[in-house]
mmCIF file of all heavy atoms in Angstrom:
data_model
loop_
_atom_site.group_PDB
_atom_site.id
_atom_site.type_symbol
_atom_site.label_atom_id
_atom_site.label_comp_id
_atom_site.label_asym_id
_atom_site.label_seq_id
_atom_site.Cartn_x
_atom_site.Cartn_y
_atom_site.Cartn_z
ATOM 1 N N CYS A 13 157.072 191.196 130.765
ATOM 2 C CA CYS A 13 156.009 191.298 131.778
ATOM 3 C C CYS A 13 154.858 190.339 131.466
ATOM 4 O O CYS A 13 154.292 189.722 132.367
ATOM 5 C CB CYS A 13 155.492 192.736 131.861
ATOM 6 S SG CYS A 13 156.668 193.882 132.602
ATOM 7 N N ILE A 56 134.980 154.709 176.233
ATOM 8 C CA ILE A 56 135.402 156.101 176.137
ATOM 9 C C ILE A 56 134.208 157.020 175.938
ATOM 10 O O ILE A 56 134.228 158.186 176.294
ATOM 11 C CB ILE A 56 136.428 156.276 174.995
ATOM 12 C CG1 ILE A 56 137.208 157.575 175.201
ATOM 13 C CG2 ILE A 56 135.768 156.296 173.642
ATOM 14 C CD1 ILE A 56 138.394 157.709 174.271
ATOM 15 N N VAL A 66 147.105 164.115 167.885
ATOM 16 C CA VAL A 66 147.509 163.618 166.569
ATOM 17 C C VAL A 66 148.921 164.071 166.229
ATOM 18 O O VAL A 66 149.231 165.262 166.306
ATOM 19 C CB VAL A 66 146.548 164.121 165.473
ATOM 20 C CG1 VAL A 66 146.883 163.459 164.142
ATOM 21 C CG2 VAL A 66 145.101 163.877 165.864
ATOM 22 N N GLY A 69 152.242 163.712 159.995
ATOM 23 C CA GLY A 69 153.474 163.316 159.321
ATOM 24 C C GLY A 69 153.202 162.402 158.155
ATOM 25 O O GLY A 69 152.053 162.199 157.751
ATOM 26 N N VAL A 80 158.032 165.381 162.469
ATOM 27 C CA VAL A 80 158.444 165.550 163.866
ATOM 28 C C VAL A 80 157.246 165.430 164.814
ATOM 29 O O VAL A 80 157.403 165.050 165.978
ATOM 30 C CB VAL A 80 159.164 166.910 164.062
ATOM 31 C CG1 VAL A 80 158.178 168.075 163.976
ATOM 32 C CG2 VAL A 80 159.924 166.954 165.388
ATOM 33 N N THR A 116 141.180 161.918 182.251
ATOM 34 C CA THR A 116 140.750 162.309 180.911
ATOM 35 C C THR A 116 141.150 161.210 179.939
ATOM 36 O O THR A 116 142.332 160.844 179.861
ATOM 37 C CB THR A 116 141.408 163.636 180.470
ATOM 38 O OG1 THR A 116 140.983 164.677 181.348
ATOM 39 C CG2 THR A 116 141.018 163.997 179.042
ATOM 40 N N VAL A 132 141.815 163.168 156.847
ATOM 41 C CA VAL A 132 140.840 162.082 156.709
ATOM 42 C C VAL A 132 140.910 161.171 157.929
ATOM 43 O O VAL A 132 139.890 160.816 158.525
ATOM 44 C CB VAL A 132 141.113 161.272 155.420
ATOM 45 C CG1 VAL A 132 140.209 160.041 155.368
ATOM 46 C CG2 VAL A 132 140.918 162.142 154.186
ATOM 47 N N PRO A 158 162.548 178.348 164.549
ATOM 48 C CA PRO A 158 163.804 177.594 164.548
ATOM 49 C C PRO A 158 163.700 176.345 165.407
ATOM 50 O O PRO A 158 162.861 176.271 166.312
ATOM 51 C CB PRO A 158 164.813 178.597 165.132
ATOM 52 C CG PRO A 158 163.980 179.478 166.013
ATOM 53 C CD PRO A 158 162.663 179.622 165.297
ATOM 54 N N LYS A 165 149.188 176.955 169.731
ATOM 55 C CA LYS A 165 148.312 177.883 169.010
ATOM 56 C C LYS A 165 146.891 177.363 169.108
ATOM 57 O O LYS A 165 146.621 176.205 168.802
ATOM 58 C CB LYS A 165 148.737 177.983 167.543
ATOM 59 C CG LYS A 165 147.950 178.993 166.725
ATOM 60 C CD LYS A 165 148.535 179.072 165.312
ATOM 61 C CE LYS A 165 147.898 180.216 164.528
ATOM 62 N NZ LYS A 165 146.470 179.984 164.274
ATOM 63 N N VAL A 187 139.139 175.286 164.717
ATOM 64 C CA VAL A 187 139.283 175.546 166.149
ATOM 65 C C VAL A 187 140.287 174.626 166.855
ATOM 66 O O VAL A 187 140.580 174.821 168.029
ATOM 67 C CB VAL A 187 137.924 175.435 166.882
ATOM 68 C CG1 VAL A 187 136.925 176.434 166.322
ATOM 69 C CG2 VAL A 187 137.382 174.005 166.810
ATOM 70 N N MET A 188 140.821 173.648 166.144
ATOM 71 C CA MET A 188 141.714 172.677 166.785
ATOM 72 C C MET A 188 142.986 173.351 167.303
ATOM 73 O O MET A 188 143.674 174.047 166.550
ATOM 74 C CB MET A 188 142.117 171.570 165.808
ATOM 75 C CG MET A 188 140.948 170.750 165.295
ATOM 76 S SD MET A 188 140.002 171.593 164.020
ATOM 77 C CE MET A 188 141.169 171.589 162.675
ATOM 78 N N LEU A 209 161.688 167.061 154.110
ATOM 79 C CA LEU A 209 161.672 165.613 153.933
ATOM 80 C C LEU A 209 163.005 164.972 154.316
ATOM 81 O O LEU A 209 163.149 163.748 154.249
ATOM 82 C CB LEU A 209 161.320 165.251 152.483
ATOM 83 C CG LEU A 209 159.915 165.658 152.026
ATOM 84 C CD1 LEU A 209 159.690 165.231 150.584
ATOM 85 C CD2 LEU A 209 158.848 165.057 152.928
ATOM 86 N N LEU A 220 166.960 168.263 169.352
ATOM 87 C CA LEU A 220 165.684 167.567 169.235
ATOM 88 C C LEU A 220 165.349 166.787 170.506
ATOM 89 O O LEU A 220 164.186 166.722 170.907
ATOM 90 C CB LEU A 220 165.723 166.614 168.037
ATOM 91 C CG LEU A 220 164.432 165.835 167.756
ATOM 92 C CD1 LEU A 220 163.288 166.794 167.437
ATOM 93 C CD2 LEU A 220 164.644 164.857 166.599
ATOM 94 N N VAL A 228 156.488 167.060 175.227
ATOM 95 C CA VAL A 228 155.658 166.139 176.001
ATOM 96 C C VAL A 228 155.176 166.818 177.286
ATOM 97 O O VAL A 228 154.011 166.666 177.674
ATOM 98 C CB VAL A 228 156.440 164.846 176.332
ATOM 99 C CG1 VAL A 228 155.665 163.989 177.337
ATOM 100 C CG2 VAL A 228 156.699 164.053 175.057
ATOM 101 N N SER A 242 139.740 176.327 174.118
ATOM 102 C CA SER A 242 139.055 177.289 173.263
ATOM 103 C C SER A 242 137.573 177.010 173.319
ATOM 104 O O SER A 242 137.145 175.864 173.335
ATOM 105 C CB SER A 242 139.534 177.172 171.806
ATOM 106 O OG SER A 242 139.338 175.862 171.333
ATOM 107 N N ALA A 252 137.583 185.163 163.625
ATOM 108 C CA ALA A 252 138.414 186.248 163.111
ATOM 109 C C ALA A 252 138.386 187.468 164.024
ATOM 110 O O ALA A 252 139.361 188.213 164.123
ATOM 111 C CB ALA A 252 137.926 186.637 161.710
#
Side-chain angles (χ1 to χ4, degrees):
C13 289
I56 199 170
V66 187
V80 72
T116 297
V132 173
K165 184 176 188 294
V187 300
M188 298 77 69
L209 296 181
L220 182 62
V228 170
S242 57

